[in-house]
Structure formats: C-alpha cells, structure tokens
Amino acid sequence: MRSAKDFFAPLAVGAPAPAREIPWRPSRVIHFFDPSNAKMAAKLPTLIPKVDVLLGNLEDGVRADNKLAAREGLIKIIDGGAEFGDTQFWIRVNSIDSPWGLDDLLTLVPAIGAKLDVIMLPKVQGAEDIHYIDRLLAQLEAQAGLTRPILVHAILETARGVSNVEEICAASPRMQGLSLGPADLAADRRMKTTRVGGGHPGYLVRQDPTPDDPSAVRATFQQDPWHYTLARMVDACVAHGIMPYYGPFGDIADTLACEDQFRNAFLLGAVGAWSLHPVQIDIAKKVFSPEPKDVAWASRVVETMGDGTGAVMVDGTMQDDASVKQCQVILDLARRLAARDATLAASYNLPGPTA
Ligand SMILES: CC(=O)SCCNC(=O)CCNC(=O)[C@H](O)C(C)(C)COP(=O)(O)OP(=O)(O)OC[C@H]1O[C@@H](n2cnc3c(N)ncnc32)[C@H](O)[C@@H]1OP(=O)(O)O
Ligand SMILES: O=CC(=O)O
Ligand SMILES: [Mg+2]
C-alpha cells in the first residue's frame, strides 16, 4: 500500500518532484504527424503556431519499417532547433507490449525529454501500465537530469481500459489526461464498425409506427456509438483533475461529420480532439472554443446574478446558483483561450495575449 504522502515523492533518486496539479494549457487540437515523413516534417514551422499541441506519432499510422526513422526524425527536429513558442510538444510512443515501446522511451527521454510536455501511451489496460511507465520515466528523468516531470496521457482504447478507467486516472500524479481511441476500442470490443470514430448508419433509433397508418415511412435517427465511453471518460477525468479528449476522426473528407463528432465531445466536457490532417486543425479549434454568442450570454447571466446566489429571470429563463456555475465554465474557458488567441479575444471582447 502507498500512503497519500508517498504519492508525491519522486520514484527515483534525483527525479523531479511529481506535479501536484496538471497545468491547464489550451489543447483544443492535438495535431498528429509522422516524424519519418519528410513532407510532413517540412510543414512543422508553419503548423506549430497554428496548433495547441504538436504530437510526433511513433505508433499506429507509422509503418513498422519506419519506426526507427520516426524516432530519429523526432531527435532531428529537436536538434534542428524547432521553436515551439507556447505550443505544447507531445509524442505518442508505441505500446509497452510492442517491440518498440521500451526503446522509444529509453532513446527519446534522454534525447528530447527536456522539450517534451507529455507522452501519450496507447492501449493502456489498467493502473499497472501507468505504474510501469511512472517508475521508468522517473529513472530516465533522473539519469537525464531533467528538472520537470514529463506528464502521461493514456489512450482509452481497450475494453479492459474502459473498465479500469478510474484507476488509470488515479494511478499517478503524472496523469495529464485521456483520449478516446475509437478505432482500437471498436476492434477490441468486437464492435462491427470499420470506421475510425463517427457514427454508423446502422446504429439508430426508429420513430414509432403511426397508429392509423402503419405503412407510413418511419423516420430514423442515427445515434452516437461513442456516447457512453466518452461520458464515462469525462467523469473519470474530472474526478481526478485531469483532461478528457476525443481522439481521431478518420473520414478526413467528411469535415461536417468531423465537426459534429468534435462538438458532441465538447458539449459533454472534452477539452480537445486529435487532428490527423491539416484540414482538421481549424475544425477542432473552432469547435473547442466557445461561440462568442455563448460567451456574451454567460457574461450577461453572471453580471445579472450579482453575488451568484438566488434566482432571476433572464430572457424568460430561470437562472440561479447552478446556472451561474455553468456560465462561469464558459467564461473561464473563453478567458484562457483569449489569452492565447488575439482573434478570439476580440470576438469575445476579452483581454488578449500579453506581449
Ligand atoms: C487510429 C489512430 O491511431 S489515428 C492516429 C494515427 N494516424 C495518423 O497519425 C495519420 C496522420 N495523417 C496522415 O498520415 C495523412 O494525413 C493521411 C494518410 C491521412 C492523408 O495523407 P495524404 O493522402 O498525403 O493527404 P493529402 O494529399 O490531402 O495531404 C496534403 C498535404 O498535407 C500533408 N499532410 C497530410 N497530413 C499531414 C499531417 N498530419 N501533418 C502534416 N502534414 C500533413 C501531406 O504531406 C501533403 O503535403 P504536400 O502538399 O506537400 O504533398
Ligand atoms: O489510437 C486511436 C484509435 O482510435 O485507435
Ligand atoms: Mg489506437
């Protein structure tokens, strides 16, 4: 058994002290690129200022015979003096049961650990996977003389991972957040969809028959097969002070459905989503930033409510202590995003980035 106090002790002599709180930084879009792909790497100087998180992907999506080139590509990018400004730099390593996961960590933490904000770990099954990487990272950080802990983000993409979601979130002070991985999760659960995220025309509810006209056409409504997992993930993350994200949307050409999937996640509490292709960057940024009209409304409700207690009517709707808290969630997000994005700041009428 570990006591509560042990939880914040470094797991290796000389390792940095574990984080007591996960710093909130804008992460509406986690943009994936393959570091072994020279064309993608060449685009980084223009992509970095546009995204909240740039992620060098080593896992699925990178060919097996390119795994080493991808690792080396990351080192080359950092050694080449890549400038991140206030954009976060993450990597997705191969899973710890794969032939590459261990060497990804052994190679990259010493080589680029000082620049790394977060390591995304795929196919996490339970707390034991987080405990493993927690100790290993502490040892590698100590050896490399790193002064701040690298945070860990787990992908929720196995049935066992979903069953263990609370213990995964609670497993280490390094835990930064979780992403829903609908592709691997569908495979692991034996779901019968071959899509990477999104809905399915067969997953629907049908309108009741019209009693006096049984042959009338009955409307159908597609449902979101990811609703349960996402909602469960959001609760687990919030309960443990870490951040929930929707993952990939594979139909790159269907930008409208991508936007819908991202918005469902935003409305349920997710803070961001992955972008697999440059066309998805602006979709995620738009969706995970509150709309100016919602910010204006939230601001009006908060002002009208004064000290935030009691009940009043605003435009025919009841507002009270609880709805003020809802409005404060929107306002708080708007303020934080405005501090990074001058255009948003202007649209919200809020202070923008300081020089
Ligand atoms: C289930 C999961 O694990 S999801 C995560 C793993 N998968 C990924 O990370 C996939 C990342 N994305 C990709 O590999 C690619 O975007 C693909 C394969 C989906 C499509 O690639 P392409 O067919 O080359 O797309 P397209 O022709 O539209 O690309 C246009 C340009 O954008 C570039 N580009 C495409 N995706 C990216 C990206 N993620 N980052 C940077 N540049 C990109 C292309 O290199 C191309 O450059 P060019 O104009 O200099 O030729
Ligand atoms: O890694 C992501 C997924 O959907 O699988
Ligand atoms: Mg996956």
Side-chain angles (χ1 to χ4, degrees), residues 46-261:
T46 51
L47 281 179
I48 290 172
K50 287 192 197 151
V51 301
D52 293 333
V53 178
L54 179 79
L55 180 144
N57 177 34
L58 302 169
E59 201 227 6
D60 294 355
V62 175
R63 289 172 52 95
D65 52 5
N66 275 347
K67 295 286 187 188
L68 300 191
R71 220 185 267 155
E72 282 154 16
L74 278 174
I75 298 174
K76 209 166 124 198
I77 287 162
I78 297 301
D79 286 354
E83 285 297 336
F84 290 94
D86 56 3
T87 296
Q88 299 179 58
F89 177 48
W90 297 17
I91 59 173
R92 177 169 83 166
V93 293
N94 288 285
S95 59
I96 50 178
D97 61 354
S98 75
W100 308 284
L102 178 61
D103 284 339
D104 287 345
L105 294 165
L106 295 183
T107 310
L108 292 174
V109 173
I112 63 169
K115 288 273 184 185
L116 262 184
D117 293 298
V118 174
I119 291 180
M120 183 183 273
L121 190 64
K123 302 182 176 65
V124 171
Q125 301 274 18
E128 69 280 9
D129 292 343
I130 304 300
H131 293 158
Y132 169 85
I133 192 173
D134 198 9
R135 176 78 70 173
L136 181 58
L137 283 178
Q139 292 171 320
L140 293 172
E141 287 165 345
Q143 270 186 349
L146 300 186
T147 53
R148 67 179 178 137
I150 298 169
L151 302 179
V152 170
H153 179 109
I155 311 180
L156 204 57
E157 53 182 352
T158 65
R160 191 149 85 76
V162 176
S163 304
N164 292 330
V165 63
E166 283 87 7
E167 68 166 47
I168 291 170
C169 293
S172 161
R174 284 184 201 276
M175 283 302 298
Q176 179 274 344
L178 295 183
S179 282
L180 171 68
D184 271 302
L185 184 55
D188 193 65
R189 277 180 177 159
R190 313 281 187 266
M191 289 169 72
K192 305 302 180 294
T193 167
T194 54
R195 301 173 174 204
V196 175
H200 190 289
Y203 192 72
L204 50 79
V205 290
R206 188 178 299 272
Q207 190 183 30
D208 285 355
T210 313
D212 50 4
D213 184 6
S215 61
V217 174
R218 294 159 64 187
T220 59
F221 306 90
Q222 256 184 252
Q223 307 292 297
D224 181 357
W226 308 110
H227 176 84
Y228 151 76
T229 315
L230 191 70
R232 186 161 177 196
M233 191 182 90
V234 168
D235 284 342
C237 285
V238 174
H240 292 281
I242 72 173
M243 280 165 254
Y245 299 76
Y246 177 77
F249 189 86
D251 191 343
I252 308 288
D254 194 348
T255 51
L256 191 58
C258 175
E259 181 170 335
D260 292 337
Q261 181 84 76

Side-chain angles (χ1 to χ4, degrees), residues 33-45 47:
F33 80 101
D34 172 352
S36 73
N37 180 321
K39 267 168 58 175
M40 287 191 191
K43 292 192 165 44
L44 297 188
L47 281 179

